[in-house]
Amino acid sequence: RRPQRDRDLYGLPPSALGVSREVLLGEFPGDAPRQAPRGASPPPTTLEQYLEFALEQGYAGAWPWSFSGTDDYGRLPHEPLLAFARRHPELVLSLVLQSTWPAMDAYYRSWVRFVQWLVEYAPSERAFLEGFFLDIYTARAHNDGTVDQFIEEVLAFPHKQKAEDLQRYLEPLVDHDTTDRRPQISAPTLVLAGGRDPGARPALGRRVAELIPAARFEVMEEEAHQPFQEVPDEWNARVAAFWRE
């Protein structure tokens, strides 16, 4: 279970998700002390092993909290997720893709390069977060104190991602292109975009939906990159409605 101070990304009871078993939650691989999930010996050391362990132990699902760019299956965390889905297609009943793109355009690539520069030259961790979050959250969240709260939570977290691991994640992200693989997705898919997201703009999300045969595309006009944090009730309602269908 997530610590009480953490926001619940879904906020739905198990019955609403159609599950009655535990969901495996944990920090992986990150810089946290290795704590093996109950029954795992030795503990999983890759995201792939983490997911396979959750499946073998009968968990309803798995939610690794973060990625450090050190997984054996590549530096981009969604690659082992895709590999797992290809091996277990019966488990993939639907997909929800938030703030996504098939390939970055010139504007988005430039923003990622700016973030790489910011990682190296921001005068402090707080300064980095203040700059980075400008393109992640809405002006509303900056003005009402929500972003300040997020920053304080990040600063207080004891097991932070290392700067070099973040760079290892960002570097291949710039040229990563999944255009040719999106049509292979057969599961019903909800693609969501924030109308005020300057990076993963609605035009990029719409292109993803056009490539996936069974996709629906929706824009949350007043939201940015992570509406599941800013307006969780509205985001949950959209996802729940999609799942009910």
Side-chain angles (χ1 to χ4, degrees), residues 101-155:
W101 60 91
M104 288 186 172
D105 60 8
Y107 179 92
Y108 210 175
R109 289 195 297 272
S110 294
W111 180 78
V112 172
R113 294 302 188 197
F114 165 73
V115 174
Q116 290 183 292
W117 174 87
L118 194 62
V119 171
E120 296 297 324
Y121 295 105
S124 66
E125 183 179 2
R126 182 183 295 275
F128 166 77
L129 294 171
E130 290 173 344
F132 177 63
F133 285 169
L134 284 172
D135 285 325
I136 302 299
Y137 300 110
T138 62
R140 178 191 66 233
H142 283 270
N143 292 331
D144 68 12
T146 299
V147 171
D148 288 335
Q149 177 185 340
F150 290 162
I151 289 175
E152 293 303 325
E153 291 177 355
V154 173
L155 294 175

Side-chain angles (χ1 to χ4, degrees), residues 7-200:
R7 292 175 173 240
D8 185 352
L9 295 182
Y10 299 103
L12 297 173
S15 58
L17 300 176
V19 301
S20 58
R21 292 167 289 136
E22 288 183 286
V23 174
L24 180 63
L25 301 174
E27 186 72 18
F28 178 83
D31 195 30
R34 287 280 187 261
Q35 294 183 357
R38 184 173 62 250
S41 180
T45 57
T46 68
L47 176 57
E48 185 77 2
Q49 293 173 6
Y50 186 98
L51 295 172
E52 291 290 351
F53 171 79
L55 178 62
E56 292 168 1
Q57 295 297 310
Y59 285 96
W63 183 267
W65 290 359
S66 70
F67 307 92
S68 72
T70 58
D71 191 83
D72 290 350
Y73 284 79
R75 291 175 289 180
L76 293 173
H78 56 266
E79 290 297 339
L81 294 173
L82 292 172
F84 180 83
R86 284 194 294 269
R87 279 203 308 282
H88 303 285
E90 73 283 359
L91 300 179
V92 185
L93 303 181
S94 66
L95 292 175
V96 177
L97 305 178
Q98 172 69 58
S99 304
T100 186
W101 60 91
M104 288 186 172
D105 60 8
Y107 179 92
Y108 210 175
R109 289 195 297 272
S110 294
W111 180 78
V112 172
R113 294 302 188 197
F114 165 73
V115 174
Q116 290 183 292
W117 174 87
L118 194 62
V119 171
E120 296 297 324
Y121 295 105
S124 66
E125 183 179 2
R126 182 183 295 275
F128 166 77
L129 294 171
E130 290 173 344
F132 177 63
F133 285 169
L134 284 172
D135 285 325
I136 302 299
Y137 300 110
T138 62
R140 178 191 66 233
H142 283 270
N143 292 331
D144 68 12
T146 299
V147 171
D148 288 335
Q149 177 185 340
F150 290 162
I151 289 175
E152 293 303 325
E153 291 177 355
V154 173
L155 294 175
F157 187 66
H159 308 298
K160 295 182 176 66
Q161 187 180 46
K162 296 177 181 178
E164 56 267 32
D165 285 336
L166 178 55
Q167 293 286 26
R168 291 185 64 213
Y169 167 75
L170 292 171
E171 184 61 37
L173 193 65
V174 173
D175 297 317
H176 193 64
D177 189 341
T178 61
T179 302
D180 60 340
R181 286 184 288 169
R182 300 282 181 165
Q184 300 173 16
I185 297 175
S186 58
T189 302
L190 174 62
V191 181
L192 292 171
R196 297 183 180 274
D197 186 342

